[in-house]
């Protein structure tokens, strides 16, 4: 049993070394090689949608910035606020 485990460990080590010598690990499917142009995603808590921060409708309220996917979601949020006066930015 010990010999089998040792042989398996040696096999895995050889595979890892060969991959490193061949240029690293395989690129993963579905992922971009670079993150250039990537933007932060923010969450609209009214409709539970994620969207890029640069496209979000914003509202500053009580020292916190809230993000929305549309003016309609922002209006739904502000209608539930006490003293419903938020500042759009």
């Amino acid at each position: 049993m010990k010999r089998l485990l040792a042989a398996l460990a040696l096999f895995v080590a050889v595979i890892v070394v060969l991959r490193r010598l061949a240029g690293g690990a395989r690129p993963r499917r579905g992922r971009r090689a670079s993150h250039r142009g990537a933007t932060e995603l923010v969450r609209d808590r009214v409709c539970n949608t994620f969207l890029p921060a640069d496209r979000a409708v914003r509202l500053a309220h009580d020292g916190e910035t809230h993000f929305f996917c549309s003016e309609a979601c922002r209006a739904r949020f502000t209608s539930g606020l006490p003293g419903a006066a938020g500042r759009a930015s």
Side-chain angles (χ1 to χ4, degrees), residues 62-80:
D62 285 342
E64 191 174 338
T65 302
H66 301 275
F67 300 94
F68 306 96
C69 66
S70 66
E71 295 287 339
C73 280
R74 182 169 71 179
R76 271 181 65 193
F77 178 81
T78 57
S79 69

Side-chain angles (χ1 to χ4, degrees), residues 10-63:
L10 180 62
F11 178 75
V12 170
V14 168
I15 295 296
V16 169
V17 168
L18 289 176
R19 281 192 179 174
R20 299 262 181 206
L21 292 175
R26 295 185 306 234
R28 296 182 183 178
R29 289 187 216 167
R31 291 191 177 207
R32 292 188 296 220
S34 78
H35 296 285
R36 257 183 291 145
T39 184
E40 176 188 10
L41 291 179
V42 293
R43 181 177 174 195
D44 177 340
R45 300 217 179 249
V46 174
C47 66
N48 204 27
T49 302
F50 287 88
L51 67 151
D54 58 346
R55 291 190 1 208
V57 177
R58 298 167 188 248
L59 173 73
H61 177 72
D62 285 342

